[in-house]
Amino acid sequence: MKTFTLATSADTAPYDYLSRLSLDRWAWEYVRRNDDFRDDAASRTTADVSEKMAPCDRIRLLRSLVPQKLAERWGLVFMPDPALNGLEADAVWSHFVFPDQVEVNCTPRRPGQGCNIYDSTVPYYSITHVTDSAAREYILVRGKGCVVQVRCTGMSLLSIEPVRMKIQTPDLIGLERKLKVQKEALRIFGKGPDTSAARWTKTTQILRNGVIALDCLKDGMSQREIASLLYGPATVADDWVVDGSALRAALRYVIRKAEGLRDGGYLVELLG
């Protein structure tokens, strides 16, 4: 897929981290900008989810302690902090709304048998293990400016017996979509930080522009000011004065799409 860089400014550079997000992290970026979601998130308390470190590994353990009706309304297993971005937030999507997420099956590990997935991740990446209110298990793997969500089935990763993880092969239903998600997940493997410049596709450029536009509208900026930020003052000076110009139409499309994603479209377009 063709990628490209974008001209940045002091105002747009803080959004460069978006270039490495998978679609489920983009979904979080949009829903956390929804005012109704933020109102629901304001009701969360520290007593809703327990947090501790695993006794033998550098793994955070999060467990839901109460029913998560409000979070489930938005497709999440519990309510993260909407102030945190797609790399920072413990945003875990239910497999009901994100059926294409990477899935590993856990089976007993024989004496002397290794686990390639464990050996390739735990020593090198930040791992968060999540148990929802129905005892379903998920993992968030963070590294190289990426976050990968994994659903765990079979034996519990928290069982006394050692387990071996194996990536489940997608079935024929939605095969292409699921393979795409798995391919994105493979970006995280490799030692050392990813220091490359932000690179975009046509799709992620539109998503980025939508996030920026929503933040600008929240701050009371006009559409012309937003266009100047996204496309450059020179371009706006040339094209904005023409009523019905391609530039005006392009910005209206970006705003309309962004508002749709924020207000529920993320469930279908980014997760489903």
Side-chain angles (χ1 to χ4, degrees):
M1 182 180 299
K2 183 179 180 181
T3 63
F4 48 86
T5 58
L6 292 172
T8 59
S9 66
D11 293 315
T12 59
Y15 295 91
D16 282 354
Y17 75 92
L18 295 169
S19 68
R20 297 187 183 95
L21 297 187
S22 54
L23 289 181
D24 59 302
R25 300 303 106 184
W26 277 107
W28 169 249
E29 291 290 349
Y30 275 96
V31 73
R32 77 186 184 100
R33 288 169 166 81
N34 181 295
D35 287 338
D36 291 336
F37 174 78
R38 297 181 76 89
D39 288 344
D40 284 350
S43 67
R44 65 192 240 287
T45 70
T46 55
D48 292 348
V49 177
S50 70
E51 178 176 351
K52 62 182 181 180
M53 295 301 295
C56 55
D57 290 306
R58 297 183 304 112
I59 300 175
R60 290 171 66 226
L61 303 178
L62 303 181
R63 177 181 288 271
S64 178
L65 301 177
V66 297
Q68 298 287 340
K69 297 298 184 184
L70 288 179
E72 290 168 2
R73 168 188 171 190
W74 300 96
L76 294 154
V77 303
F78 57 71
M79 194 67 78
D81 183 352
L84 300 179
N85 67 35
L87 298 178
E88 303 163 338
D90 294 315
V92 179
W93 300 102
S94 161
H95 67 282
F96 297 112
V97 302
F98 185 28
D100 297 335
Q101 63 188 274
V102 177
E103 181 179 333
V104 297
N105 184 255
C106 302
T107 57
R109 192 193 308 186
R110 298 190 303 272
Q113 186 180 36
C115 176
N116 290 335
I117 295 177
Y118 179 95
D119 295 339
S120 300
T121 54
V122 174
Y124 307 110
Y125 302 104
S126 173
I127 310 294
T128 300
H129 177 278
V130 174
T131 305
D132 71 8
S133 56
R136 291 179 287 255
E137 297 181 35
Y138 303 85
I139 295 174
L140 293 176
V141 185
R142 292 181 172 93
K144 294 190 70 182
C146 303
V147 181
V148 176
Q149 176 177 323
V150 180
R151 181 189 176 205
C152 306
T153 59
M155 287 183 61
S156 171
L157 286 173
L158 303 179
S159 63
I160 297 176
E161 295 182 58
V163 300
R164 182 172 182 265
M165 293 176 280
K166 183 177 181 181
I167 295 178
Q168 292 292 89
T169 303
D171 55 30
L172 293 178
I173 300 176
L175 177 63
E176 185 175 350
R177 294 196 317 272
K178 293 178 182 179
L179 289 176
K180 181 179 179 181
V181 172
Q182 289 192 2
K183 183 178 179 180
E184 281 191 343
L186 291 175
R187 292 185 305 163
I188 201 170
F189 288 99
K191 299 178 183 178
D194 186 342
T195 57
S196 61
R199 299 193 65 84
W200 309 88
T201 65
K202 288 184 178 180
T203 297
T204 57
Q205 181 186 15
I206 291 172
L207 292 173
R208 163 199 179 261
N209 288 352
V211 166
I212 294 173
L214 290 177
D215 289 348
C216 291
L217 289 170
K218 188 79 172 176
D219 289 341
M221 292 175 63
S222 68
Q223 289 196 10
R224 178 169 183 149
E225 290 171 324
I226 298 170
S228 182
L229 190 65
L230 295 178
Y231 307 117
T235 301
V236 172
D238 291 339
D239 295 348
W240 194 260
V241 293
V242 180
D243 191 29
S245 69
L247 182 63
R248 288 175 180 259
L251 182 61
R252 285 197 297 268
Y253 170 78
V254 165
I255 292 174
R256 186 167 61 249
K257 184 173 183 64
E259 290 175 338
L261 290 171
R262 178 198 63 193
D263 297 338
Y266 68 91
L267 289 167
V268 175
E269 295 192 46
L270 300 177
L271 294 175

